[in-house]
Amino acid sequence: MSRAASAGPAERWFGDRFGGRPEGVWRAPGRANLIGEHTDYNQGWVLPFALHLGVTVAASQRGDGVLAIASRQAPAAPAGPPLATLAPGAVTGWAAYPAGVAWALREAGHRLAGGASLAIDSDLPQGAGLSSSAALECATALALAGLYGLDLSRRELAALAWRAENDFVGVPSGIMDQSASLLARAGHALLLDCRSGETADVPLDPAGAGLELIIVDTGARHALGDGRYAERRSECDRAAALLGVSSLRDVASLAALSGLADPVLRRRARHVITENGRVEETVALLTGGDLAGVGPVLLASHASLRDDFEVSWPEADATVDAAMGAGALGARMMGGGFGGSALALVPAGQRAVGTAITAEFARRGWPAPAFVPAVPSAGALRVR
Ligand code: GLA
């Protein structure tokens, strides 16, 4: 679905719920991550790109200080917290994401005095590891900044959306998803240095290379808040502390890991260090016009996430094996892990990979996976 086409449903939804025409419509995409997994909260590098699927928010200012939120995907559960009462824990469920953004803006000293009506529509699958929550936060952040004329850079908005997720919703994510949604450019991946915040656009044009990137939604559902993601974060923090560095980014070589007595912490740290290296390698390959050469790097990333970081899940492993057996150039699990989607790099128009994955799922008695083409798209924007 194109962005222009998707403004209509959100506008009509606004009319149904609040009456009249919204002052504006904003849209923020979900993301895929080409490579750089579990490196963001270790102050390392990531290389995500924006998807063509996302969240649209049709919005207007109000005069009563209320944040009225209605989602087309959850029509039975509208929310209407007064802005003045917003505090962590005060709003739960999906509405906590947009409410958290209003809270983070207020905490940063921005006035949204009259409140806002937000009509939300999404074409992103939820729980598929494509950052539907970050897209919701970022679309809300752009909408509120637009309605109230707030002078905030995309980077500042990403930091506020990230704060909403961490400090209001209570999910301890890194900064990758919000950055990708707000900062990515069409036809490019976004290289982000998660320590300095510096970014660079790296050309990513699968079609031009005669290839396709395919997202495989494995159907296994994950939740970043279920504790296992936080456990990985604290293992990384412990490893860094034991190695005497402020984050694993600062570990210069694998040799230094002999200083870690605990084999689990050693494996976790090894993943982060080698994954940072794989981001660098991928950027060099893409800059040199060799997308096909990225295939083996994706596969090495998967092995590291499966064996060293231990965040893969059976459906992702089966997807990667079936894809490689049917002629993919590379494949790996994507996102936080324990469920969600995998990414495969395949020759354009080649159907054998999808067929092989579907057949493998059927053989194992799993529900059929869903396939989403991953086209590097533009970051968030005002649709009208
Ligand atoms: C989730 C988080 C990100 C990042 C990835 C793993 O998507 O939201 O911040 O940590 O997991 O790379």
Side-chain angles (χ1 to χ4, degrees), residues 84-225:
T85 66
L86 287 181
V91 183
T92 55
W94 65 269
Y97 292 90
V101 170
W103 170 83
L105 283 164
R106 198 192 66 197
E107 291 292 290
H110 302 290
R111 281 177 52 76
L112 308 170
S117 297
L118 308 175
I120 296 162
D121 185 29
S122 170
D123 54 17
L124 263 174
Q126 279 168 33
L130 304 180
S131 294
S132 53
S133 352
L136 175 53
E137 292 153 12
C138 294
T140 303
L142 264 194
L144 292 176
L147 289 176
Y148 281 90
L150 307 178
D151 185 21
L152 287 162
S153 70
R154 292 286 171 122
R155 220 167 117 180
E156 289 169 316
L157 287 172
L160 286 166
W162 173 80
R163 180 152 192 230
E165 181 151 336
N166 279 252
D167 297 345
F168 191 92
V169 185
V171 174
S173 62
I175 190 76
M176 168 168 74
D177 307 341
Q178 294 80 6
S179 304
S181 184
L182 282 161
L183 295 165
R185 277 183 51 207
H188 294 78
L190 179 81
L191 174 64
L192 171 67
D193 176 335
C194 299
R195 172 173 282 167
S196 69
E198 272 167 41
T199 58
D201 297 316
V202 181
L204 178 60
D205 176 17
L211 301 172
E212 259 176 76
L213 281 163
I214 297 174
I215 292 167
V216 185
D217 178 355
T218 67
R221 287 303 177 238
H222 82 305
L224 280 186

Side-chain angles (χ1 to χ4, degrees), residues 31 33 36-41 173-177 224 229 335-336:
R31 64 100 189 93
N33 189 16
E37 219 66 90
H38 289 274
T39 45
D40 59 354
Y41 56 81
S173 62
I175 190 76
M176 168 168 74
D177 307 341
L224 280 186
Y229 180 88

Side-chain angles (χ1 to χ4, degrees), residues 14 32 51 62 82 87 96 104 113 128 152 165 213 215 247 256 260 266 279 297 312 320 353 366 373:
F14 184 96
L51 297 174
R62 299 170 67 95
L152 287 162
E165 181 151 336
L213 281 163
I215 292 167
S247 80
L260 286 172
R266 219 161 39 224
V279 174
V297 192
S312 190
V320 169
V353 168
W366 295 334

